Amino acid sequence: MSSPADNASVGTRVAVIGGGPAGLFAAERLCAAGLQVDLYEAKGSPGRKFLIAGKGGLNLTHSDPRPLFDSRYRERQTEVASWLDGFDAQALRDWAAGLGVETYVGSSGRVFPVDRKAAPLLRGWVRRLKERGVRFHVQHRWLGWNADGSLRMATEDGQVAVQAAATVLALGGGSWPQLGSDGGWMPVLQQRGVDTAPLQPANCGFDIAWTPHFSQRHAGTPLKPIVAHWRDLHGQPQQLQGECVVSEYGIEGSLIYALSADLRETLNRDGKVQLELDLVPGRDEARLLAELSRPRKGRSFGEHLRRAAGLDAVKAGLLFEVLGKDAGNDIDAVVRTLKRLPLSLLRPRPMEEVISTAGGVQLEAMNDQLMLSALPGVFCAGEMLDWEAPTGGYLLTACYASGLRAAEGVIGWLGK
């Protein structure tokens, strides 16, 4: 059975598979170049993960200057920087303004729409794409290729074959599979000789073997402010101040996500990793020792910690979790632990519940225009590529920039 778009000339038809930001932005550029664009989305509507990500306020990009911005992409910063040369954070803000969505820089440097909502931006974007001629096909799941080179699509009415002069794959990673990013494309590309790296959790929390008492009492409680201390993959000491949350299973939140790549890779390499937390960043050891050495006047040690050192219940709970219920018998150990409380991390949280994933199509498997060396005419973009970044707008910015790069590659490939 053929696709409903068969009335367009195959020579100028491009199939974009995936309705997230990378796919939508690729479609926008391809359409502007005069190509016939058909966008295929496995779910019932495009941009579902985009909408969920914006539920608490759409973090569109970040105000970091370059090259600091580029450094957020770690080992892939050189490659991603080349994408950003074509479409950077300011370009993304200007693009949003073109849709009538003004943005502002928050106190953390993150950039948000003024109304902080994702839905108005997405609605306006999809409407504009349709007006410009992009054809949307929902409930179309890509299965691979037929023997004649056509694209195989599963629909509610059975399989269809799609002919296209070029294809942009923007299929997402492996996080939040219920929204469409399930990594099901990995074996399809591997069978075609495309080099991939295993998908792994990124921007993730970690499991810790809490005692039942601590977990039941403190799960869901924020830890703030604290300073995290860890060693990077080169053994160099690092530290970062921020906030996180004690969970039933371990620890999560923005501070942990920011260092999750180092922690995950150390776990992969060594089988263990330790994170240390400074629970009282405003106090040095000498001050703490003086405060905690004061007479308790009949108060419990937990109450003494609160009054003398300003510790809330969850921080005191962490201290007892590490030192035991008799912690108050050794004030020197208490002081050292409050400044460097050790936590042994067991494993990252499961991939299906994390914000994003690392791994995917290796950049070495593509040319600079993101065309697969093993599959000429097939381009890839977005989170399915092997790069990662912390939250803060960096993820979305690179998805847009890679979508543009892939689209420019298609335009050059087709001689347009």
Side-chain angles (χ1 to χ4, degrees), residues 2 9 23 28 53 62 78 95 116 121 167 191 195 204 233 246-248 254 266 279 286 345 348 385 397 416:
S2 296
S9 168
E28 182 168 321
H62 202 284
T78 299
W95 170 85
R116 296 180 63 86
L121 187 151
T167 301
Q191 289 163 11
D195 291 331
C204 56
L233 289 173
V246 169
S247 71
E248 180 182 355
S254 58
T266 302
L279 299 181
L345 309 184
L385 305 182
T397 306
K416 298 296 179 182

Side-chain angles (χ1 to χ4, degrees), residues 16 21-31 37 125 168 381 400 403-404 406-407:
V16 177
L24 292 171
F25 204 55
E28 182 168 321
R29 177 66 186 97
L30 292 165
C31 187
V37 182
W125 190 8
V168 177
Y400 274 83
L404 178 62

Side-chain angles (χ1 to χ4, degrees), residues 238-258:
Q238 304 289 340
Q239 67 178 63
L240 183 66
Q241 181 165 328
E243 301 177 4
C244 59
V245 178
V246 169
S247 71
E248 180 182 355
Y249 303 104
I251 195 166
E252 58 186 33
S254 58
L255 176 61
I256 304 303
Y257 303 156

Side-chain angles (χ1 to χ4, degrees), residues 50-51 99 115 117-130:
F50 182 80
L51 288 173
L99 278 168
D115 66 3
K117 296 178 180 178
L121 187 151
L122 181 64
R123 282 197 302 269
W125 190 8
V126 170
R127 181 171 59 249
R128 186 171 73 179
L129 288 172
K130 289 179 177 179

Side-chain angles (χ1 to χ4, degrees), residues 72-416:
R72 306 305 187 188
Y73 301 95
R74 297 173 57 85
E75 294 83 2
R76 293 302 193 181
Q77 62 182 282
T78 299
E79 294 91 343
V80 177
S82 73
W83 310 344
L84 297 174
D85 288 342
F87 193 80
D88 60 11
Q90 185 57 54
L92 181 48
R93 296 184 70 182
D94 294 342
W95 170 85
L99 278 168
V101 177
E102 297 300 325
T103 56
Y104 73 96
V105 180
S107 58
S108 64
R110 300 181 180 201
V111 175
F112 301 89
V114 169
D115 66 3
R116 296 180 63 86
K117 296 178 180 178
L121 187 151
L122 181 64
R123 282 197 302 269
W125 190 8
V126 170
R127 181 171 59 249
R128 186 171 73 179
L129 288 172
K130 289 179 177 179
E131 290 169 352
R132 292 180 177 180
V134 175
R135 292 178 292 265
F136 283 77
H137 309 274
V138 297
Q139 303 290 2
H140 280 62
R141 176 174 291 278
W142 179 68
L143 301 176
W145 290 272
N146 294 306
D148 64 357
S150 60
L151 299 160
R152 289 174 56 214
M153 297 285 179
T155 76
E156 293 178 320
D157 299 320
Q159 287 193 24
V160 298
V162 172
Q163 297 284 352
T167 301
V168 177
L169 300 177
L171 296 162
S175 62
W176 298 357
Q178 68 273 25
L179 302 178
S181 300
D182 59 8
W185 49 266
M186 284 277 279
V188 179
L189 293 184
Q190 290 166 347
Q191 289 163 11
R192 292 280 177 148
V194 176
D195 291 331
T196 61
L199 295 176
Q200 301 185 82
N203 288 294
C204 56
F206 290 83
D207 289 350
I208 297 173
W210 300 131
T211 61
H213 172 78
F214 179 82
S215 175
Q216 292 165 11
R217 185 168 184 181
H218 298 293
T221 307
L223 276 170
K224 60 181 183 179
I226 58 172
V227 175
H229 294 267
W230 76 102
R231 290 188 177 273
D232 64 21
L233 289 173
H234 307 293
Q236 297 302 308
Q238 304 289 340
Q239 67 178 63
L240 183 66
Q241 181 165 328
E243 301 177 4
C244 59
V245 178
V246 169
S247 71
E248 180 182 355
Y249 303 104
I251 195 166
E252 58 186 33
S254 58
L255 176 61
I256 304 303
Y257 303 156
L259 38 135
S260 61
D262 272 346
L263 299 175
R264 182 196 67 230
E265 291 304 307
T266 302
L267 265 171
N268 288 343
R269 184 188 65 193
D270 303 337
K272 60 182 180 180
V273 67
Q274 184 167 282
L275 176 67
E276 295 179 335
L277 303 182
D278 179 352
L279 299 181
V280 282
R283 291 172 164 85
D284 60 23
E285 289 193 13
R287 178 181 170 186
L288 270 175
L289 183 61
E291 290 171 337
L292 293 177
S293 297
R294 295 171 186 162
R296 294 192 204 174
K297 299 180 180 178
R299 291 188 290 264
S300 69
F301 188 59
E303 180 64 12
H304 186 57
L305 288 170
R306 185 182 72 82
R307 293 199 180 203
L311 253 67
D312 59 17
V314 66
K315 290 182 177 180
L318 277 172
L319 181 72
F320 290 120
E321 186 78 353
V322 171
L323 295 182
K325 60 183 177 61
D326 296 324
N329 296 337
D330 188 343
I331 296 301
D332 288 332
V334 167
V335 169
R336 290 192 302 271
T337 304
L338 288 176
K339 294 302 291 181
R340 286 294 186 97
L341 184 129
L343 294 176
S344 295
L345 309 184
L346 301 177
R347 67 194 70 84
R349 292 299 297 160
M351 199 158 56
E352 57 267 19
E353 71 176 48
V354 302
I355 292 173
S356 61
T357 50
V361 175
Q362 295 190 5
L363 301 189
E364 292 77 12
M366 299 179 288
N367 66 13
D368 288 344
Q369 297 305 116
L370 304 186
M371 183 173 73
L372 293 170
S373 301
L375 296 168
V378 179
F379 299 75
C380 297
E383 197 183 329
M384 69 181 294
L385 305 182
D386 183 19
W387 59 274
E388 64 179 305
T391 56
Y394 310 107
L395 290 165
L396 262 180
T397 306
C399 284
Y400 274 83
S402 65
L404 178 62
R405 174 60 66 92
E408 297 284 3
V410 169
I411 294 165
W413 170 256
L414 296 178
K416 298 296 179 182

